[in-house]
């Protein structure tokens, strides 16, 4: 079973290949717009790993939350590759990688993404399960919604979250230590399980935004 996964971040492209159980991860940092290089980087990655696209059995994609533009482009790219090569595709909420990470710690994990407009996309995870709903809230409101316990803030925007709280995290809160594996490896495992359970994306499947688009908010 060969799985190809990719994710668009603000300044990089993450690529992941599970090739018959061997995991290969690559992070490509760029000063250019990552969205404009995605297809090119996927092509290079497959050549570097000596894996023709025709040997890929499943494409996995992070469906969000995150940047509207990055999610649209990543999912559209995944759909295009899947349709063109006749490969099934499964999209997964990237935050849900914390289900696996939270099984290995007594901390409650809080992945955060800076959603701009003084708000963060976030969710709490503990003991291998999500606690509560996905959130799109100011940092202070996320603190109010926190369950009891030690909260470990994680993700590329963890420091931005602390800054939004005036530079100080609440008592019993901390910035999480880096995980031993990239999040893309963990949510790719979720994709494999969904595929094994017969779940694949329909052609109409779209990103998971949490927040309404600017146009929708303007009309709301």
């Amino acid at each position: 079973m060969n799985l190809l996964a990719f994710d668009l971040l603000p300044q990089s492209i993450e690529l992941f290949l599970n090739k018959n159980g061997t995991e290969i991860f690559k992070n490509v940092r760029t000063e250019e717009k990552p969205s404009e290089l995605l297809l090119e980087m996927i092509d290079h990655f497959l050549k570097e790993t000596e894996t023709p696209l025709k040997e890929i059995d499943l494409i996995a994609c992070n469906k969000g939350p995150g940047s509207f533009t990055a999610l649209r482009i990543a999912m559209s790219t995944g759909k295009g590759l899947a349709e063109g090569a006749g490969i099934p595709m499964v999209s997964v909420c990237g935050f849900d990688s914390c289900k696996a990470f939270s099984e290995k710690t007594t901390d409650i994990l809080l992945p955060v993404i800076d959603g701009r407009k003084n708000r963060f996309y976030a969710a709490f995870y503990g003991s291998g399960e999500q606690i509560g709903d996905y959130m799109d809230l100011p940092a202070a409101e996320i603190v109010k919604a926190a369950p009891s316990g030690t909260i470990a803030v994680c993700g590329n925007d963890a420091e931005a979250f602390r800054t939004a709280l005036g530079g100080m995290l609440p008592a019993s809160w901390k910035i999480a230590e880096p995980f031993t594996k990239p999040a893309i490896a963990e949510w790719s495992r979720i994709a494999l399980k969904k595929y094994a359970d017969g779940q694949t994306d329909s052609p109409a499947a779209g990103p998971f935004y949490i927040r309404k688009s600017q146009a929708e908010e303007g009309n709301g």
Side-chain angles (χ1 to χ4, degrees):
M1 181 72 179
N2 294 333
L3 173 146
L4 171 67
F6 46 86
D7 197 6
L8 275 175
L9 303 178
Q11 294 298 323
S12 66
I13 298 169
E14 288 191 342
L15 301 160
F16 178 79
L17 179 66
N18 185 324
K19 191 172 183 178
N20 295 320
T22 298
E23 297 182 345
I24 306 168
F25 170 72
K26 184 174 184 178
N27 183 291
V28 182
R29 296 198 62 82
T30 175
E31 297 299 322
E32 301 179 56
K33 291 182 179 179
S35 58
E36 297 178 356
L37 299 174
L38 180 56
L39 269 175
E40 180 183 347
M41 291 300 101
I42 290 172
D43 183 56
H44 286 174
F45 183 58
L46 291 176
K47 287 178 179 176
E48 288 173 355
T49 57
E50 299 181 345
T51 313
L53 183 60
K54 65 182 180 180
E55 293 184 5
I56 297 297
D57 302 299
L58 180 65
I59 292 173
C61 188
N62 181 1
K63 67 178 180 180
S67 157
F68 287 99
T69 301
L71 294 176
R72 280 199 307 271
I73 291 173
M75 287 202 68
S76 295
T77 300
K79 286 182 178 182
L81 289 173
E83 183 175 351
I87 303 169
M89 175 177 143
V90 174
S91 59
V92 180
C93 172
F95 277 174
D96 288 351
S97 62
C98 283
K99 289 181 180 179
F101 295 132
S102 69
E103 292 178 341
K104 303 169 186 177
T105 177
T106 57
D107 297 338
I108 295 171
L109 301 181
L110 175 65
V112 295
I113 295 174
D114 187 349
R116 312 304 177 192
K117 298 185 177 181
N118 298 314
R119 286 144 65 185
F120 288 82
Y121 305 127
F124 292 104
Y125 294 86
S127 302
E129 299 293 338
Q130 184 176 343
I131 303 170
D133 295 327
Y134 300 107
M135 296 172 284
D136 172 22
L137 295 169
E141 294 300 314
I142 293 173
V143 170
K144 291 179 182 178
S148 59
T150 300
I151 309 294
V153 186
C154 49
N156 294 332
D157 292 326
E159 287 295 344
F161 184 83
R162 173 156 53 189
T163 298
L165 292 171
M168 291 287 291
L169 292 174
S172 78
W173 286 53
K174 63 183 180 181
I175 301 296
E177 295 293 326
F179 298 130
T180 55
K181 286 192 174 184
I184 192 172
E186 292 299 342
W187 58 252
S188 291
R189 287 192 183 89
I190 297 174
L192 280 171
K193 186 177 185 308
K194 289 178 69 174
Y195 178 66
D197 291 341
Q199 301 177 51
T200 58
D201 281 29
S202 70
F208 173 48
Y209 288 136
I210 298 182
R211 181 184 303 174
K212 294 179 179 180
S213 67
Q214 289 184 353
E216 289 173 319
E217 287 189 333
N219 292 331

